[in-house]
């Protein structure tokens, strides 16, 4: 048993050291925000949560800060554990700059604004949300569409379950088992992931020509450790190396008020 625990610890440490740059930075930022939330001088959750009635031109930053802030330790821990492998896979395929542009652009803004619209103008509520679970379900939605293209059905006995429905089933399970989660927020994430996976958000992806120019101009591949280029290359000990599961010509397909909720 001690040997197995040692192997698991070593494997987890090795995996964390292999995380690409954007994924690594997002994990560090989420941990930093959680630590900042331990003090009582400044309410960081109130400052950064996505609160429908408090979203104005001057507080539009909330559509980008809410996935980075969590309610408590376990909320942050479980979201980070769920997000890291999914975001790792995304960044490895599309590159670090593309991931930065998409996740602090359309893949966060679209589900956030949809949530605000439905919650405020249709449901007439002011339920605020925070946490990276919207990113988790967005990435699950995109992966489900990819899986559906190669493996359309999941066989359970005599039933054929479309594989694209698996994130929706997970949303229902989370809603049933975990209190104070945002069912609407998770649906917004899944819906945006579907649009990304189907290619309807492709026009919002940053142009690769511009990204390559930035990378070469700033020499990012050589300067930044764990950086992945638009061409899915990293800088290793033997020079510039392709990542293990890269596809060189891939183009991105494309993404708390008085009743505070985990999630969204």
């Amino acid at each position: 048993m001690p040997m197995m625990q040692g192997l698991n610890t070593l494997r987890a440490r090795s995996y964390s050291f292999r995380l690409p740059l954007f994924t690594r930075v997002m994990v560090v930022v989420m941990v930093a925000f959680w630590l900042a939330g331990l003090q009582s001088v400044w309410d960081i959750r109130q400052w950064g949560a996505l609160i429908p009635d408090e979203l104005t031109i001057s507080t539009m930053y909330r559509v980008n800060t809410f996935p980075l802030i969590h309610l408590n330790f376990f909320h942050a821990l479980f979201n980070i554990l769920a997000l890291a492998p999914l975001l790792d896979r995304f960044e490895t395929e599309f590159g670090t700059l593309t991931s930065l542009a998409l996740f602090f652009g359309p893949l966060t803004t679209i589900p956030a604004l949809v949530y605000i619209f439905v919650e405020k103008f249709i449901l007439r509520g002011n339920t605020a949300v925070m946490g990276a679970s919207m990113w988790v379900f967005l990435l699950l939605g995109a992966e489900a569409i990819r899986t559906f293209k190669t493996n359309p059905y999941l066989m359970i006995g005599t039933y054929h379950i479309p594989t694209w429905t698996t994130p929706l089933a997970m949303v229902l399970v989370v809603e049933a088992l975990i209190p104070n989660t945002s069912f609407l927020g998770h649906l917004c994430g899944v819906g945006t992931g579907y649009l990304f996976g189907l290619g309807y958000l492709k026009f919002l992806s940053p142009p690769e020509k511009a990204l390559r120019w930035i990378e070469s101009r700033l020499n990012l591949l050589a300067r930044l450790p764990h950086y992945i280029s638009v061409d899915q290359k990293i800088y290793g000990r033997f020079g510039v190396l392709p990542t293990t599961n890269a596809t060189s010509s891939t183009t991105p397909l494309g993404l708390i008020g008085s009743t505070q909720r985990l999630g969204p």
Side-chain angles (χ1 to χ4, degrees):
M1 183 63 71
M3 181 179 296
M4 290 298 296
Q5 292 177 345
L7 288 175
N8 290 335
T9 302
L10 183 62
R11 185 175 301 174
R13 184 181 303 173
S14 175
Y15 174 75
S16 64
F17 287 156
R18 293 198 309 268
L19 287 175
L21 182 61
F22 178 72
T23 304
R24 185 182 299 244
V25 170
M26 289 301 96
V27 170
V28 171
V29 169
M30 289 176 192
V31 172
F33 271 122
W34 171 73
L35 290 174
L38 297 178
Q39 49 79 37
S40 58
V41 177
W42 175 42
D43 191 346
I44 193 171
R45 297 175 181 86
Q46 181 68 22
W47 167 81
L50 188 62
I51 307 175
D53 285 349
E54 296 190 19
L55 190 66
T56 63
I57 296 298
S58 62
T59 59
M60 283 297 291
Y61 65 85
R62 291 177 182 272
V63 302
N64 285 316
T65 57
F66 79 92
L68 305 174
I69 299 173
H70 294 84
L71 192 58
N72 53 49
F73 171 76
F74 291 105
H75 186 207
L77 176 64
F78 293 138
N79 274 349
I80 289 173
L81 291 178
L83 178 67
L86 293 169
L87 195 55
D88 175 9
R89 178 183 174 93
F90 184 95
E91 184 180 356
T92 300
E93 180 174 353
F94 296 113
T96 299
L97 267 187
T98 303
S99 300
L100 175 63
L102 288 175
F103 277 92
F104 283 92
L107 293 190
T108 301
T109 303
I110 291 175
L113 294 181
V114 171
Y115 174 82
I116 291 292
F117 176 79
V118 176
E119 176 69 18
K120 184 173 183 177
F121 297 105
I122 297 179
L123 301 180
R124 303 292 181 179
N126 187 39
T127 303
V129 292
M130 64 174 73
S133 55
M134 184 180 283
W135 282 357
V136 171
F137 281 103
L138 184 150
L139 291 168
L140 288 173
E143 286 291 332
I145 294 298
R146 178 186 306 209
T147 302
F148 180 74
K149 292 177 179 178
T150 57
N151 184 24
Y153 297 102
L154 176 66
M155 297 290 296
I156 301 180
T158 59
Y159 297 97
H160 293 67
I161 309 297
T163 50
W164 65 266
T165 63
T166 52
L168 298 176
M170 295 181 69
V171 169
L172 293 175
V173 170
V174 169
E175 178 68 15
L177 297 181
I178 304 178
N180 299 322
T181 56
S182 174
F183 181 72
L184 174 60
H186 292 162
L187 285 182
C188 292
V190 172
T192 307
Y194 284 163
L195 293 176
F196 183 86
L198 291 169
Y200 293 124
L201 302 183
K202 183 178 180 179
F203 72 99
L204 296 174
S205 300
E208 289 191 3
K209 184 177 180 180
L211 296 180
R212 289 193 179 95
W213 183 86
I214 294 173
E215 287 180 344
S216 61
R217 187 75 173 179
L218 301 179
N219 197 20
L220 298 179
L221 193 59
R223 289 182 175 181
L224 298 178
H226 308 287
Y227 179 87
I228 298 179
S229 73
V230 177
D231 297 316
Q232 295 85 36
K233 294 184 175 63
I234 60 174
Y235 196 86
R237 60 181 297 189
F238 302 107
V240 179
L241 306 172
T243 55
T244 55
N245 58 344
T247 53
S248 60
S249 61
T250 301
T251 301
L253 297 176
L255 232 200
I256 336 185
S258 58
T259 53
Q260 222 169 36
R261 291 184 181 178
L262 301 178

